[in-house]
């Protein structure tokens, strides 16, 4: 080959290589997923805001089944209402999604000439969604038996749970609900409402409410049922504390005891935690809602329970729809709008004085499904904490 032609070919190749080198170098320097996501989160946490608060954060890649990011993930922090995730996941695991809350109306004796010559019993199952329509149905059930007069007495059966009216570690100056097995419209006014409605249609010989246990010989005349999933939706979407406490007691009752306590339910929460490979003695649990100042959990614990739920189809497919959706509904309805996180993040919020938390699921830009937990303690301005949570979620969904 002619020498000049060879020299020209070498020159062209050399120029092309020179032109390509910057491009190759740029590609090599461009961080790939998940390194780019991890770097963004690291940069975000390098903020003076976190010099005055404690934060625990963990992001877990459910698709790859590995930890994606963690910082302070083992710190023991107050979860606020993300505690409801522990309660809800345990309930679905222990009770199953088809479980129903029940409130029972029963009678003893016989009916003669429209007169019930016996007693009436109302047995509570700690159903927070029992309402006025349900009460009307109870009275209608008695009238449907031809009863227009009751010669016996009216009893309330409260043996479903203990006599504790409030949770351990609840602030005395909060507007707390009363934890009683017989509720109507979330109020401790069941028997007063029942008798008031009875008097409109049925004569009562004895107006005093007594406490007692439904006798074995009693005949059930009406049962009101509400599904666990309907209760869980209200509990999660609206962060309803009463609904969460009632669910913890349902978990407790699954062991077959009467007059169960919150600690009975929390023992079963601990059992679940131990079963997934964490040490339940590391943490402290006081209630089912997160209202208590005695609760101490970690971001790692919440993430590992979310992972457990994901791998249990009967839990995940019923838990996921109950979680608030960013920019769409529940306690996340006004957050992360017009961002990559809107409609993507399904997560439980948590708010207490000094605490802001968020834990749930989202899908990364590459299609991987993630679960995450963010617990921020020492918060003086909720708006600042929520801004960081929102930004973390936007990073998870867009990078």
């Amino acid at each position: 080959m002619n020498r000049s032609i060879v020299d020209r070919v070498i020159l062209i190749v050399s120029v092309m290589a020179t032109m390509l080198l910057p491009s190759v170098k740029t590609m090599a320097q461009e961080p790939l997923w998940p390194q780019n996501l991890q770097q963004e989160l690291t940069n975000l946490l390098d903020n003076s805001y976190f010099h005055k608060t404690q934060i625990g954060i963990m992001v877990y890649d459910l698709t790859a089944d590995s930890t994606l990011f963690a910082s302070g993930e083992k710190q023991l922090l107050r979860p606020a209402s993300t505690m409801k995730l522990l309660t809800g996941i345990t309930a679905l695991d222990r009770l199953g999604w088809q479980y129903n809350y029940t409130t029972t109306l029963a009678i003893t004796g016989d009916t003669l000439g429209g007169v019930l010559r016996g007693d009436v019993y109302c047995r509570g199952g700690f159903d927070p969604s029992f309402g006025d329509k349900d009460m009307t149905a109870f009275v209608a059930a008695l009238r449907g038996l031809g009863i227009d007069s009751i010669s016996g007495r009216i009893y309330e059966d409260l043996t479903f749970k203990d006599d504790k009216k409030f949770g351990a570690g609840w602030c005395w100056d909060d507007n707390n609900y009363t934890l009683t097995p017989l509720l109507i419209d979330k109020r401790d006014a069941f028997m007063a409402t029942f008798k008031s409605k009875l008097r409109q249609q049925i004569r009562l010989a004895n107006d005093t409410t007594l406490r007692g246990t439904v006798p074995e010989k009693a005949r059930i005349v009406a049962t009101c049922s509400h599904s666990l999933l309907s209760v869980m939706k209200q509990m999660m979407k609206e962060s309803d504390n009463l609904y969460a406490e009632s669910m913890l007691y349902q978990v407790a009752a699954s062991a077959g005891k009467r007059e169960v306590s919150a600690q009975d339910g929390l023992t079963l929460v601990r059992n679940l935690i131990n079963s997934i490979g964490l040490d339940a003695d590391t943490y402290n649990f006081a209630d089912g809602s997160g209202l208590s100042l005695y609760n101490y959990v970690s971001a790692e614990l919440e993430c590992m329970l979310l992972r457990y739920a994901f791998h249990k189809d009967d839990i995940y497919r019923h838990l996921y729809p109950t979680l608030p959706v960013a920019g769409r509904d529940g306690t996340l309805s006004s957050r992360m709008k017009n961002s990559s996180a809107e409609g993507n993040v399904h997560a439980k919020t948590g708010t207490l004085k000094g605490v802001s938390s968020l834990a749930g699921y989202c899908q990364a830009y590459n299609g991987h499904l993630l679960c995450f937990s963010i617990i921020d303690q020492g918060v003086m301005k909720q708006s600042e904490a929520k801004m960081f949570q929102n930004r973390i979620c936007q990073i998870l969904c867009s990078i």
Side-chain angles (χ1 to χ4, degrees), residues 133-180:
K133 289 183 178 179
D134 302 311
M135 187 66 82
T136 299
F138 267 24
V139 174
L142 290 173
R143 285 293 295 130
L145 295 174
I147 298 172
D148 54 35
S149 179
I150 299 171
S151 65
R153 293 161 293 187
I154 310 293
Y155 286 90
E156 58 178 356
D157 184 342
L158 304 178
T159 58
F160 180 84
K161 65 175 291 294
D162 60 16
D163 60 0
K164 298 287 179 62
K165 299 296 185 183
F166 305 103
W170 287 9
C171 291
W172 64 270
D173 55 349
D174 278 350
N175 185 24
N176 296 316
Y177 291 108
T178 303
L179 306 182
T180 178

Side-chain angles (χ1 to χ4, degrees), residues 13 40 61 66 83 87 139-140 165 187 191 194 203-204 219 224 288 304 326 332 341 357 391-392 399:
V13 170
E40 286 287 336
D61 186 338
S66 61
M83 183 70 190
T87 302
V139 174
K165 299 296 185 183
R187 297 177 295 116
M191 296 308 294
F194 179 56
R203 189 179 68 84
L204 304 180
R219 178 160 55 108
C224 174
M304 291 301 95
L332 284 178
S357 56
R391 183 59 189 139
I392 288 171
I399 294 178

Side-chain angles (χ1 to χ4, degrees), residues 60-369:
Y60 196 87
D61 186 338
L62 294 165
T63 303
D65 201 18
S66 61
T67 300
L68 198 58
F69 183 84
S71 177
E73 73 280 7
K74 294 183 184 292
Q75 288 194 83
L76 298 180
L77 305 167
R78 292 174 179 145
S81 280
T82 55
M83 183 70 190
K84 292 179 175 71
L85 286 170
L86 279 69
T87 302
I89 291 170
T90 305
L92 285 169
D93 187 66
R94 181 83 188 184
L95 303 171
W97 64 273
Q98 293 177 309
Y99 178 86
N100 286 306
Y101 288 62
T102 58
T103 307
T104 304
L105 178 67
I107 60 174
T108 59
D110 300 314
T111 302
L112 183 62
V115 179
L116 173 62
R117 301 181 185 279
D119 303 321
V120 177
Y121 289 82
C122 297
R123 183 169 195 274
F126 203 176
D127 182 355
S129 49
F130 189 98
D132 187 70
K133 289 183 178 179
D134 302 311
M135 187 66 82
T136 299
F138 267 24
V139 174
L142 290 173
R143 285 293 295 130
L145 295 174
I147 298 172
D148 54 35
S149 179
I150 299 171
S151 65
R153 293 161 293 187
I154 310 293
Y155 286 90
E156 58 178 356
D157 184 342
L158 304 178
T159 58
F160 180 84
K161 65 175 291 294
D162 60 16
D163 60 0
K164 298 287 179 62
K165 299 296 185 183
F166 305 103
W170 287 9
C171 291
W172 64 270
D173 55 349
D174 278 350
N175 185 24
N176 296 316
Y177 291 108
T178 303
L179 306 182
T180 178
L182 282 169
L183 293 162
I184 179 165
D185 297 323
K186 300 171 67 171
R187 297 177 295 116
D188 183 14
F190 188 101
M191 296 308 294
T193 306
F194 179 56
K195 289 189 296 183
S196 175
K197 284 187 174 289
L198 277 178
R199 289 191 208 100
Q200 295 172 20
Q201 302 184 50
I202 299 173
R203 189 179 68 84
L204 304 180
N206 296 286
D207 200 44
T208 304
T209 299
L210 301 174
R211 286 195 181 180
T213 304
V214 178
E216 289 186 10
K217 63 180 181 180
R219 178 160 55 108
I220 296 175
V221 297
T223 299
C224 174
S225 297
H226 292 108
S227 72
L228 178 130
L229 291 182
S230 67
V231 172
M232 186 170 291
K233 184 177 180 180
Q234 172 73 13
M235 176 180 96
M236 295 296 196
K237 293 285 189 187
E238 305 304 327
S239 201
D240 195 302
N241 295 318
L242 178 62
Y243 278 54
E245 296 305 324
S246 75
M247 189 166 291
L248 180 64
Y249 277 92
Q250 306 300 316
V251 169
S254 69
K257 290 174 57 179
R258 275 201 172 194
E259 299 189 32
V260 293
S261 67
Q263 284 304 318
D264 291 328
L266 292 169
T267 294
L268 297 175
V269 174
R270 292 186 186 94
N271 290 348
L272 177 57
I273 290 167
N274 286 329
S275 76
I276 66 173
L278 297 177
D279 182 3
D281 290 339
T282 303
Y283 317 101
N284 196 66
F285 311 110
D287 67 6
S289 64
L291 270 178
S292 177
L293 300 180
Y294 300 162
N295 291 312
Y296 280 94
V297 307
S298 68
E300 178 189 46
L301 168 60
E302 292 191 339
C303 251
M304 291 301 95
L305 277 174
L306 287 166
R307 175 184 177 271
Y308 174 79
F310 173 74
H311 287 291
K312 294 282 187 177
D313 183 61
D314 263 3
I315 297 179
Y316 181 70
R317 65 190 173 95
H318 294 106
L319 172 70
Y320 188 75
T322 70
L323 298 173
V325 182
R328 302 285 174 83
D329 66 20
T331 53
L332 284 178
S333 61
S334 62
R335 293 176 58 178
M336 302 178 234
K337 281 186 172 293
N338 303 314
S339 76
S340 57
E342 180 177 356
N344 185 337
V345 170
H346 289 62
K348 183 71 201 73
T349 57
T351 306
L352 275 179
K353 183 67 175 178
V355 179
S356 186
S357 56
L358 186 69
Y361 301 97
C362 67
Q363 189 174 59
Y365 186 73
N366 67 351
H368 283 216
L369 187 64

